[in-house]
Amino acid sequence: GENVEQHPSTLSVQEGDSAVIKCTYSDSASNYFPWYKQELGKGPQLIIDIRSNVGEKKDQRIAVTLNKTAKHFSLHITETQPEDSAVYFCAASISGGYQKVTFGIGTKLQVIP
Amino acid sequence: GAVVSQHPSRVICKSGTSVKIECRSLDFQATTMFWYRQFPKQSLMLMATSNEGSKATYEQGVEKDKFLINHASLTLSTLTVTSAHPEDSSFYICSATLGMDASGGELFFGEGSRLTVL
């Protein structure tokens, strides 16, 4: 089955700096890669996703890149703000969420004011 | 985006009792719902996949008699933890999807339910 590795497990940045979280996946058939933000005591919220026919996607301060050859994808958050502090999960699946999604272990991001 | 509601958000029960958690899709019909379990500071572990009107598909190592899942309608799935024990204490999260055709397969998550078994 699919295996998703994520790093770093914790990340501290100064407010205004950029944060980068990296993930790798094992199943070359995976074609949907969402990123979720989870605040304490809440369910995950989708923040951005990318499909295998696209190499990069951007939404305001958040961007995701995908390298299918190397089987890795990354989340980039620019101009970080304290409210960006949360746990971020990468994930991979085949044919979108209709199939089960495999999650990375999560990255706890702390943005220091 | 679509809204998924989970209830209750927190529940405390005595060992040996059963607890039911509900997951509702409020503004869409969910063809498939998923149940996850999350331990502190860990990732989400898929427990089972349920499709409306059919039996749930459980992941390896998940006891189907322990964690009963019912998906009676396109807007409601329930997880019942039977004869709960302290080791069942965890954060349970559901998610729902419209399926690939309608939404591109995006998952919509509930807010989670914190179960504490005394």
Side-chain angles (χ1 to χ4, degrees), chain A residues 32 36 38 41-46 49 51 89 95-101 103-106 108, chain B residues 31-32 34 36 38 42-44 46 59 91 93 97 99-100 103-107 109-112:
Chain A
Y32 176 63
Y36 297 92
Q38 186 179 29
K42 296 186 177 181
Q45 295 293 315
L46 179 72
D49 57 12
R51 300 186 186 276
F89 292 97
S95 301
Y98 191 74
Q99 304 294 328
K100 68 176 184 179
V101 175
F103 289 85
I105 199 164
K108 184 176 181 179
Chain B
T31 55
T32 304
F34 303 88
Y36 300 84
Q38 187 178 34
Q42 293 191 22
S43 189
L44 288 78
L46 181 65
E59 294 298 301
F91 194 52
I93 310 171
T97 180
M100 192 61 186
S103 72
E106 181 178 340
L107 281 178
F109 282 87
E111 286 295 301

Short mmCIF file of all heavy atoms in Angstrom, two decimals, chain A residues 32 36 38 41-46 49 51 89 95-101 103-106 108, chain B residues 31-32 34 36 38 42-44 46 59 91 93 97 99-100 103-107 109-112:
data_model
loop_
_atom_site.label_atom_id
_atom_site.label_comp_id
_atom_site.label_asym_id
_atom_site.label_seq_id
_atom_site.Cartn_x
_atom_site.Cartn_y
_atom_site.Cartn_z
N TYR A 32 -3.41 12.27 -6.36
CA TYR A 32 -4.07 13.38 -5.65
C TYR A 32 -3.34 13.61 -4.34
O TYR A 32 -3.16 12.67 -3.56
CB TYR A 32 -5.54 13.04 -5.42
CG TYR A 32 -6.30 14.07 -4.62
CD1 TYR A 32 -6.47 15.37 -5.10
CD2 TYR A 32 -6.86 13.75 -3.39
CE1 TYR A 32 -7.18 16.31 -4.37
CE2 TYR A 32 -7.56 14.69 -2.66
CZ TYR A 32 -7.72 15.97 -3.15
OH TYR A 32 -8.42 16.91 -2.42
N TYR A 36 -3.54 19.30 4.73
CA TYR A 36 -4.53 19.66 5.73
C TYR A 36 -3.88 20.40 6.89
O TYR A 36 -2.74 20.12 7.26
CB TYR A 36 -5.22 18.40 6.27
CG TYR A 36 -6.01 17.64 5.23
CD1 TYR A 36 -5.42 16.61 4.51
CD2 TYR A 36 -7.34 17.97 4.97
CE1 TYR A 36 -6.14 15.92 3.55
CE2 TYR A 36 -8.05 17.27 4.00
CZ TYR A 36 -7.45 16.26 3.30
OH TYR A 36 -8.16 15.58 2.34
N GLN A 38 -4.53 21.21 10.90
CA GLN A 38 -5.33 20.79 12.03
C GLN A 38 -4.97 21.61 13.25
O GLN A 38 -3.82 21.59 13.72
CB GLN A 38 -5.15 19.29 12.33
CG GLN A 38 -6.07 18.79 13.43
CD GLN A 38 -5.93 17.30 13.72
OE1 GLN A 38 -4.86 16.73 13.54
NE2 GLN A 38 -7.00 16.67 14.18
N GLY A 41 -7.57 20.11 18.92
CA GLY A 41 -8.93 19.69 19.27
C GLY A 41 -9.94 19.79 18.15
O GLY A 41 -11.15 19.65 18.38
N LYS A 42 -9.47 19.99 16.93
CA LYS A 42 -10.38 20.12 15.79
C LYS A 42 -10.03 19.11 14.70
O LYS A 42 -8.96 18.53 14.70
CB LYS A 42 -10.34 21.54 15.23
CG LYS A 42 -10.82 22.60 16.20
CD LYS A 42 -10.88 23.95 15.54
CE LYS A 42 -11.43 25.01 16.47
NZ LYS A 42 -11.52 26.35 15.82
N GLY A 43 -10.95 18.96 13.76
CA GLY A 43 -10.69 18.09 12.63
C GLY A 43 -9.81 18.80 11.60
O GLY A 43 -9.69 20.02 11.60
N PRO A 44 -9.19 18.04 10.70
CA PRO A 44 -8.34 18.65 9.67
C PRO A 44 -9.15 19.46 8.67
O PRO A 44 -10.30 19.13 8.36
CB PRO A 44 -7.73 17.42 8.97
CG PRO A 44 -7.96 16.28 9.89
CD PRO A 44 -9.20 16.59 10.64
N GLN A 45 -8.55 20.51 8.19
CA GLN A 45 -9.17 21.35 7.18
C GLN A 45 -8.27 21.38 5.94
O GLN A 45 -7.06 21.62 6.06
CB GLN A 45 -9.37 22.77 7.69
CG GLN A 45 -10.35 22.87 8.85
CD GLN A 45 -11.77 22.53 8.46
OE1 GLN A 45 -12.26 22.98 7.44
NE2 GLN A 45 -12.43 21.69 9.25
N LEU A 46 -8.85 21.14 4.78
CA LEU A 46 -8.08 21.20 3.55
C LEU A 46 -7.63 22.63 3.27
O LEU A 46 -8.43 23.56 3.31
CB LEU A 46 -8.94 20.70 2.38
CG LEU A 46 -8.28 20.72 1.01
CD1 LEU A 46 -7.22 19.63 0.92
CD2 LEU A 46 -9.31 20.55 -0.10
N ASP A 49 -4.61 21.56 -2.46
CA ASP A 49 -4.35 20.23 -3.00
C ASP A 49 -3.79 20.36 -4.41
O ASP A 49 -3.86 21.41 -5.03
CB ASP A 49 -5.62 19.36 -2.99
CG ASP A 49 -6.78 19.98 -3.76
OD1 ASP A 49 -6.57 20.97 -4.50
OD2 ASP A 49 -7.92 19.48 -3.61
N ARG A 51 -3.03 17.91 -8.11
CA ARG A 51 -3.22 16.65 -8.82
C ARG A 51 -2.01 16.40 -9.69
O ARG A 51 -1.25 17.30 -10.01
CB ARG A 51 -4.52 16.68 -9.63
CG ARG A 51 -5.71 16.89 -8.72
CD ARG A 51 -7.06 16.79 -9.40
NE ARG A 51 -8.10 17.16 -8.44
CZ ARG A 51 -8.64 16.33 -7.55
NH1 ARG A 51 -8.23 15.08 -7.52
NH2 ARG A 51 -9.57 16.75 -6.73
N PHE A 89 -0.70 18.23 7.79
CA PHE A 89 -0.57 16.87 7.29
C PHE A 89 -0.56 16.88 5.77
O PHE A 89 -1.41 17.51 5.14
CB PHE A 89 -1.75 16.00 7.74
CG PHE A 89 -1.78 15.72 9.21
CD1 PHE A 89 -2.57 16.47 10.06
CD2 PHE A 89 -1.02 14.68 9.75
CE1 PHE A 89 -2.60 16.21 11.42
CE2 PHE A 89 -1.05 14.41 11.11
CZ PHE A 89 -1.84 15.19 11.95
N SER A 95 -7.06 8.55 -7.43
CA SER A 95 -8.38 8.96 -7.89
C SER A 95 -9.10 9.85 -6.90
O SER A 95 -10.30 9.78 -6.76
CB SER A 95 -9.26 7.73 -8.18
OG SER A 95 -8.67 6.92 -9.16
N GLY A 96 -8.37 10.68 -6.18
CA GLY A 96 -8.99 11.61 -5.27
C GLY A 96 -9.50 10.95 -4.01
O GLY A 96 -9.17 9.83 -3.70
N GLY A 97 -10.33 11.68 -3.28
CA GLY A 97 -10.77 11.20 -1.98
C GLY A 97 -11.73 10.04 -2.03
O GLY A 97 -12.12 9.51 -1.01
N TYR A 98 -12.15 9.64 -3.24
CA TYR A 98 -13.05 8.50 -3.33
C TYR A 98 -12.36 7.25 -2.84
O TYR A 98 -12.98 6.35 -2.30
CB TYR A 98 -13.51 8.34 -4.78
CG TYR A 98 -14.64 7.36 -4.96
CD1 TYR A 98 -15.94 7.71 -4.58
CD2 TYR A 98 -14.42 6.10 -5.49
CE1 TYR A 98 -16.98 6.81 -4.73
CE2 TYR A 98 -15.46 5.21 -5.65
CZ TYR A 98 -16.74 5.57 -5.27
OH TYR A 98 -17.77 4.68 -5.43
N GLN A 99 -11.07 7.21 -3.03
CA GLN A 99 -10.28 6.13 -2.49
C GLN A 99 -9.67 6.59 -1.18
O GLN A 99 -9.63 7.77 -0.90
CB GLN A 99 -9.16 5.75 -3.48
CG GLN A 99 -9.67 5.38 -4.86
CD GLN A 99 -10.48 4.13 -4.83
OE1 GLN A 99 -10.24 3.24 -4.03
NE2 GLN A 99 -11.48 4.04 -5.70
N LYS A 100 -9.20 5.65 -0.38
CA LYS A 100 -8.69 6.04 0.93
C LYS A 100 -7.43 6.87 0.78
O LYS A 100 -6.63 6.68 -0.11
CB LYS A 100 -8.45 4.83 1.80
CG LYS A 100 -7.31 3.93 1.38
CD LYS A 100 -7.14 2.83 2.40
CE LYS A 100 -5.95 1.95 2.08
NZ LYS A 100 -5.77 0.88 3.09
N VAL A 101 -7.30 7.80 1.69
CA VAL A 101 -6.19 8.74 1.69
C VAL A 101 -5.18 8.31 2.74
O VAL A 101 -5.55 7.98 3.86
CB VAL A 101 -6.70 10.16 2.00
CG1 VAL A 101 -5.55 11.13 2.13
CG2 VAL A 101 -7.67 10.61 0.92
N PHE A 103 -2.11 9.43 5.10
CA PHE A 103 -1.59 10.67 5.67
C PHE A 103 -0.13 10.52 6.09
O PHE A 103 0.33 9.45 6.48
CB PHE A 103 -2.40 11.06 6.90
CG PHE A 103 -3.78 11.54 6.59
CD1 PHE A 103 -4.82 10.63 6.43
CD2 PHE A 103 -4.05 12.89 6.42
CE1 PHE A 103 -6.10 11.06 6.13
CE2 PHE A 103 -5.33 13.33 6.13
CZ PHE A 103 -6.35 12.41 5.97
N GLY A 104 0.58 11.63 6.02
CA GLY A 104 1.89 11.71 6.64
C GLY A 104 1.73 11.85 8.14
O GLY A 104 0.61 11.95 8.66
N ILE A 105 2.84 11.85 8.84
CA ILE A 105 2.81 11.85 10.30
C ILE A 105 2.49 13.22 10.89
O ILE A 105 2.15 13.34 12.06
CB ILE A 105 4.12 11.31 10.87
CG1 ILE A 105 3.94 10.86 12.32
CG2 ILE A 105 5.25 12.34 10.74
CD1 ILE A 105 5.04 9.98 12.83
N GLY A 106 2.58 14.26 10.08
CA GLY A 106 2.25 15.58 10.56
C GLY A 106 3.47 16.41 10.90
O GLY A 106 4.50 15.89 11.32
N LYS A 108 4.29 19.87 13.19
CA LYS A 108 3.80 20.92 14.08
C LYS A 108 4.55 22.19 13.78
O LYS A 108 5.76 22.30 14.03
CB LYS A 108 3.99 20.52 15.55
CG LYS A 108 3.40 21.52 16.52
CD LYS A 108 3.51 21.05 17.95
CE LYS A 108 2.88 22.06 18.90
NZ LYS A 108 2.95 21.62 20.31
N THR B 31 -21.40 9.99 -0.72
CA THR B 31 -21.42 8.62 -1.21
C THR B 31 -20.55 7.72 -0.34
O THR B 31 -20.85 6.55 -0.16
CB THR B 31 -20.90 8.56 -2.65
OG1 THR B 31 -19.60 9.17 -2.70
CG2 THR B 31 -21.82 9.29 -3.59
N THR B 32 -19.50 8.29 0.19
CA THR B 32 -18.57 7.51 0.99
C THR B 32 -18.17 8.31 2.23
O THR B 32 -17.94 9.52 2.13
CB THR B 32 -17.30 7.17 0.18
OG1 THR B 32 -17.67 6.50 -1.02
CG2 THR B 32 -16.36 6.29 0.98
N PHE B 34 -15.59 8.06 5.81
CA PHE B 34 -14.44 7.39 6.39
C PHE B 34 -14.38 7.71 7.89
O PHE B 34 -14.70 8.82 8.31
CB PHE B 34 -13.14 7.88 5.74
CG PHE B 34 -13.10 7.71 4.24
CD1 PHE B 34 -13.59 8.69 3.41
CD2 PHE B 34 -12.53 6.58 3.67
CE1 PHE B 34 -13.54 8.55 2.02
CE2 PHE B 34 -12.47 6.44 2.30
CZ PHE B 34 -12.99 7.42 1.47
N TYR B 36 -11.70 7.75 11.16
CA TYR B 36 -10.30 7.74 11.54
C TYR B 36 -10.18 7.78 13.06
O TYR B 36 -11.05 8.26 13.76
CB TYR B 36 -9.57 8.97 10.99
CG TYR B 36 -9.58 9.10 9.48
CD1 TYR B 36 -10.66 9.68 8.83
CD2 TYR B 36 -8.50 8.66 8.72
CE1 TYR B 36 -10.67 9.81 7.45
CE2 TYR B 36 -8.50 8.79 7.34
CZ TYR B 36 -9.59 9.36 6.72
OH TYR B 36 -9.60 9.49 5.36
N GLN B 38 -7.26 9.05 15.97
CA GLN B 38 -6.03 9.83 16.11
C GLN B 38 -5.60 9.84 17.56
O GLN B 38 -6.32 10.33 18.42
CB GLN B 38 -6.22 11.25 15.59
CG GLN B 38 -4.93 12.06 15.55
CD GLN B 38 -5.15 13.45 15.00
OE1 GLN B 38 -6.19 14.06 15.19
NE2 GLN B 38 -4.15 13.98 14.29
N GLN B 42 -0.16 12.24 16.99
CA GLN B 42 0.05 11.27 15.91
C GLN B 42 -0.86 11.59 14.73
O GLN B 42 -1.71 12.47 14.79
CB GLN B 42 -0.21 9.85 16.42
CG GLN B 42 0.81 9.38 17.44
CD GLN B 42 0.71 7.90 17.72
OE1 GLN B 42 0.20 7.14 16.91
NE2 GLN B 42 1.21 7.49 18.87
N SER B 43 -0.64 10.87 13.66
CA SER B 43 -1.40 11.10 12.45
C SER B 43 -2.77 10.42 12.52
O SER B 43 -3.08 9.72 13.48
CB SER B 43 -0.61 10.58 11.25
OG SER B 43 -1.23 10.97 10.05
N LEU B 44 -3.55 10.62 11.49
CA LEU B 44 -4.86 9.98 11.40
C LEU B 44 -4.69 8.57 10.86
O LEU B 44 -4.03 8.36 9.84
CB LEU B 44 -5.78 10.76 10.46
CG LEU B 44 -6.30 12.10 10.96
CD1 LEU B 44 -5.28 13.19 10.84
CD2 LEU B 44 -7.56 12.49 10.18
N LEU B 46 -6.75 5.43 9.39
CA LEU B 46 -8.04 5.03 8.85
C LEU B 46 -8.52 3.76 9.54
O LEU B 46 -7.78 2.77 9.62
CB LEU B 46 -7.94 4.80 7.34
CG LEU B 46 -9.23 4.40 6.64
CD1 LEU B 46 -10.26 5.52 6.70
CD2 LEU B 46 -8.94 4.02 5.20
N GLU B 59 -10.16 -1.59 8.03
CA GLU B 59 -8.72 -1.72 7.82
C GLU B 59 -8.19 -2.88 8.68
O GLU B 59 -8.79 -3.27 9.69
CB GLU B 59 -8.01 -0.44 8.18
CG GLU B 59 -8.37 0.72 7.26
CD GLU B 59 -7.99 0.47 5.83
OE1 GLU B 59 -6.79 0.24 5.55
OE2 GLU B 59 -8.90 0.46 4.98
N PHE B 91 -9.25 10.28 19.87
CA PHE B 91 -9.96 11.31 19.09
C PHE B 91 -10.42 10.62 17.81
O PHE B 91 -9.61 10.09 17.05
CB PHE B 91 -8.98 12.46 18.79
CG PHE B 91 -9.63 13.71 18.27
CD1 PHE B 91 -10.70 14.30 18.95
CD2 PHE B 91 -9.14 14.35 17.14
CE1 PHE B 91 -11.27 15.48 18.50
CE2 PHE B 91 -9.72 15.53 16.68
CZ PHE B 91 -10.79 16.10 17.36
N ILE B 93 -12.42 10.85 14.21
CA ILE B 93 -12.75 11.84 13.20
C ILE B 93 -13.39 11.15 12.00
O ILE B 93 -12.91 10.09 11.57
CB ILE B 93 -11.50 12.61 12.72
CG1 ILE B 93 -10.69 13.14 13.90
CG2 ILE B 93 -11.87 13.74 11.78
CD1 ILE B 93 -9.34 13.72 13.50
N THR B 97 -17.03 12.27 1.38
CA THR B 97 -16.70 12.70 0.04
C THR B 97 -17.90 12.52 -0.88
O THR B 97 -18.71 11.63 -0.67
CB THR B 97 -15.50 11.91 -0.51
OG1 THR B 97 -15.22 12.36 -1.83
CG2 THR B 97 -15.80 10.42 -0.56
N GLY B 99 -17.32 11.87 -3.90
CA GLY B 99 -16.85 10.98 -4.94
C GLY B 99 -16.17 11.79 -6.03
O GLY B 99 -16.27 13.01 -6.07
N MET B 100 -15.47 11.16 -6.89
CA MET B 100 -14.60 11.83 -7.84
C MET B 100 -15.37 12.73 -8.80
O MET B 100 -14.94 13.82 -9.11
CB MET B 100 -13.81 10.79 -8.64
CG MET B 100 -12.69 11.37 -9.46
SD MET B 100 -11.46 12.20 -8.44
CE MET B 100 -10.43 12.91 -9.69
N SER B 103 -16.89 16.29 -6.84
CA SER B 103 -16.05 17.27 -6.17
C SER B 103 -14.58 17.10 -6.49
O SER B 103 -13.75 17.81 -5.96
CB SER B 103 -16.24 17.17 -4.66
OG SER B 103 -15.64 15.99 -4.17
N GLY B 104 -14.26 16.16 -7.32
CA GLY B 104 -12.85 15.88 -7.55
C GLY B 104 -12.27 15.02 -6.48
O GLY B 104 -11.06 14.81 -6.43
N GLY B 105 -13.13 14.54 -5.60
CA GLY B 105 -12.65 13.61 -4.59
C GLY B 105 -12.24 14.27 -3.29
O GLY B 105 -11.69 13.61 -2.43
N GLU B 106 -12.49 15.55 -3.13
CA GLU B 106 -12.07 16.23 -1.91
C GLU B 106 -12.76 15.63 -0.70
O GLU B 106 -13.94 15.30 -0.73
CB GLU B 106 -12.43 17.71 -2.01
CG GLU B 106 -12.01 18.52 -0.79
CD GLU B 106 -12.35 19.98 -0.95
OE1 GLU B 106 -12.53 20.42 -2.09
OE2 GLU B 106 -12.45 20.68 0.07
N LEU B 107 -11.98 15.50 0.38
CA LEU B 107 -12.51 15.01 1.64
C LEU B 107 -12.93 16.17 2.52
O LEU B 107 -12.20 17.15 2.64
CB LEU B 107 -11.46 14.19 2.38
CG LEU B 107 -11.21 12.75 1.95
CD1 LEU B 107 -10.10 12.15 2.79
CD2 LEU B 107 -12.47 11.91 2.08
N PHE B 109 -13.88 17.00 6.43
CA PHE B 109 -13.73 16.39 7.75
C PHE B 109 -14.69 16.99 8.76
O PHE B 109 -15.01 18.18 8.72
CB PHE B 109 -12.31 16.59 8.26
CG PHE B 109 -11.31 15.65 7.64
CD1 PHE B 109 -10.67 15.98 6.46
CD2 PHE B 109 -11.02 14.44 8.25
CE1 PHE B 109 -9.77 15.11 5.88
CE2 PHE B 109 -10.10 13.56 7.68
CZ PHE B 109 -9.47 13.90 6.50
N GLY B 110 -15.11 16.13 9.69
CA GLY B 110 -15.84 16.61 10.85
C GLY B 110 -14.88 17.22 11.86
O GLY B 110 -13.67 17.19 11.67
N GLU B 111 -15.43 17.75 12.94
CA GLU B 111 -14.63 18.41 13.95
C GLU B 111 -13.99 17.43 14.93
O GLU B 111 -13.17 17.82 15.76
CB GLU B 111 -15.48 19.42 14.72
CG GLU B 111 -15.80 20.68 13.93
CD GLU B 111 -14.56 21.48 13.63
OE1 GLU B 111 -13.86 21.89 14.57
OE2 GLU B 111 -14.26 21.71 12.43
N GLY B 112 -14.38 16.17 14.84
CA GLY B 112 -13.80 15.18 15.71
C GLY B 112 -14.58 14.99 17.00
O GLY B 112 -15.31 15.88 17.44
#
